[in-house]
Amino acid sequence: MSGRFPALETLVPPYIQRFEAYIPSKPDAVLKEMFGCNHLLRLNNNENAFGPSPAALEAIKSFNSASASIYPSGDAYFLRQRLGEATEHSSEAFIVGNGANEVIAFVIKAFCCEGDNIITADKTFAVYEWVAEFSGFEARLVPLVDYRFDPDAMLARMDGRTKIIFICNPNNPTGSYWNESLLQQFLDRVDGKCIVVLDEAYAEFIEKSDFPDGLSLIRKYPNLIVFRTFSKMFGLAALRIGYLVSNPKLADIIRRTSICYSVNMLAQVAAEASLRDAAFQISRTRAMINSSRKYICGELDRLGLSYIAGEGNFLMIRVPMSDTSVYRRLMQHGVMVRTMTAFRFPNYIRLTLAKLPAMEEFVNAMEILLKKRVGIQ
């Protein structure tokens, strides 16, 4: 090599130098060894305890392994066709990504340039903020009010360089949501001045009649983009597949920043199959979540723990010690929860609502932890 390699710092943009990498949890086998537990109950990532739907499972089992050597459809052609049929939107309105995280990056790359900003809440799904920041754009974070996005404060932060507003509806992790009236009032006040992203990753869990259907609002608001995922309700988290829906003209712009072939064929086939028995998957999952929420709220009341139980397949619990300490102690019982300090909710944990035996195991482990804390055991 000729010449001298420059100091690494001179090659790294300042906004990357100040950004800390996200550290994912270790594989289950490693965690079990670390914490000395013989099993691991995953209640940390809001996965569906039923797993994929029967149709999706059959599609996965029937997948032709010889196809592994063939590139997948670069733009998820058939899945977009099925999504269009299911929602009465043009297939050109859809862009499929390697999980919803990828489509967040597509949108930010499509609309932001140097000096621009995005707006979202301070205590919400953090990937909007992260992608903006490590791409060199300002993320303006607006505090929640009563655990809910604050429309007036978000509008007050808008300026001529605001390109995108991200609304997580229902919000992860508080489970709060804007009803249709509030959402439409907000969109009217934005008045097309910037892109509004409505992240509906947990929309299929909600039965409330006033919960808005973002997909239907796209026709009225051409600056609206809706995110959906197959990771939560449809139990395909390991396959990483999500999508966005928008006005086709908007989708055409976003498609210019999309990475073709990033969604593997097995994920596309399984997602397509999921649409065939979606009603069954949604019905059985909602019943499980409702039963689980009722049980766990009763038990938390009995234990004297406060909690935030909104919509979605999760709730947050305030714990009487550091969330990291609770995480470690529960892990010794084989129960994995999500610490919430990184979500700016210190001393909270987030619990995935799952089948009743899993909820009972969590309660038992939590009760042991609390008794040891007060020294009565």
Side-chain angles (χ1 to χ4, degrees), residues 45-353:
N45 278 340
N46 303 341
E47 294 146 348
N48 190 330
F50 280 124
S53 73
L57 278 177
E58 185 57 38
I60 293 168
K61 290 175 184 174
S62 303
F63 185 72
N64 181 5
S65 59
S67 301
S69 63
I70 308 297
Y71 279 101
S73 170
D75 60 356
Y77 179 88
F78 289 114
L79 176 57
R80 291 189 298 106
Q81 296 286 327
R82 300 292 88 76
L83 286 167
E85 292 166 4
T87 62
E88 299 183 347
H89 282 279
S90 161
S91 63
E92 297 303 308
F94 295 85
I95 295 177
V96 180
N98 188 272
N101 286 355
E102 190 176 51
V103 297
I104 293 172
F106 292 166
V107 172
I108 289 178
K109 287 177 190 171
F111 295 104
C112 291
C113 60
E114 186 176 359
D116 288 340
N117 65 75
I118 66 114
I119 295 174
T120 189
D122 62 341
K123 297 175 179 177
T124 187
F125 187 54
V127 176
Y128 324 128
E129 173 190 348
W130 293 345
V131 175
E133 292 284 355
F134 67 55
S135 300
F137 311 123
E138 180 190 3
R140 296 183 174 180
L141 307 182
V142 177
L144 299 180
V145 173
D146 294 331
Y147 305 116
R148 193 172 74 159
F149 275 62
D150 182 347
D152 294 330
M154 295 183 83
L155 290 166
R157 295 299 305 276
M158 282 180 64
D159 62 19
R161 301 305 301 268
T162 299
K163 289 297 182 65
I164 310 168
I165 298 175
F166 285 94
I167 301 163
C168 190
N169 207 46
N171 187 36
N172 173 17
T174 62
S176 61
Y177 69 91
W178 283 0
N179 62 29
E180 179 150 356
S181 174
L182 181 56
L183 176 61
Q184 291 212 47
Q185 289 174 32
F186 181 81
L187 290 167
D188 288 339
R189 294 170 69 189
V190 170
D191 196 25
K193 293 185 177 68
C194 69
I195 301 297
V196 176
V197 170
L198 194 63
D199 187 343
E200 296 187 334
Y202 295 92
E204 294 92 351
F205 292 93
I206 300 184
E207 301 177 74
K208 300 287 179 59
S209 60
D210 64 346
F211 184 75
D213 175 12
L215 299 185
S216 68
L217 294 175
I218 288 170
R219 293 185 177 86
K220 182 176 180 181
Y221 299 98
N223 60 324
L224 179 64
I225 299 171
V226 175
F227 289 171
R228 293 282 180 96
T229 180
F230 287 95
S231 295
K232 304 304 181 185
M233 174 59 78
F234 296 103
L236 297 178
L239 298 183
R240 308 303 300 132
I241 182 163
Y243 62 94
L244 66 78
V245 199
S246 72
N247 179 295
K249 289 183 179 177
L250 211 57
D252 179 60
I253 293 169
I254 300 166
R255 194 167 287 112
R256 301 171 195 181
T257 66
S258 303
I259 306 297
C260 285
Y261 302 104
S262 67
V263 183
N264 69 74
M265 200 64 222
L266 180 60
Q268 294 184 34
V269 168
E272 195 181 333
S274 296
L275 299 176
R276 292 201 292 271
D277 59 356
F280 171 76
Q281 177 79 347
I282 291 171
S283 175
R284 69 171 178 169
T285 302
R286 283 179 174 176
M288 174 185 69
I289 297 303
N290 289 338
S291 173
S292 170
R293 183 185 289 109
K294 182 179 180 181
Y295 166 78
I296 201 73
C297 288
E299 289 299 303
L300 293 173
D301 288 338
R302 180 178 65 82
L303 295 174
L305 294 172
S306 60
Y307 52 88
I308 303 169
E311 301 299 321
N313 64 337
F314 54 85
L315 53 74
M316 284 205 306
I317 304 167
R318 184 173 176 79
V319 290
M321 59 191 83
S322 82
D323 47 352
T324 305
S325 176
V326 170
Y327 169 85
R328 288 198 301 265
R329 296 179 191 203
L330 289 176
M331 283 294 287
Q332 292 168 2
H333 295 271
V335 178
M336 190 174 185
V337 297
R338 185 67 175 267
T339 59
M340 296 308 290
T341 295
F343 276 73
R344 302 186 175 96
F345 276 104
N347 298 339
Y348 276 86
I349 58 172
R350 191 187 64 196
L351 178 73
T352 302
L353 299 173

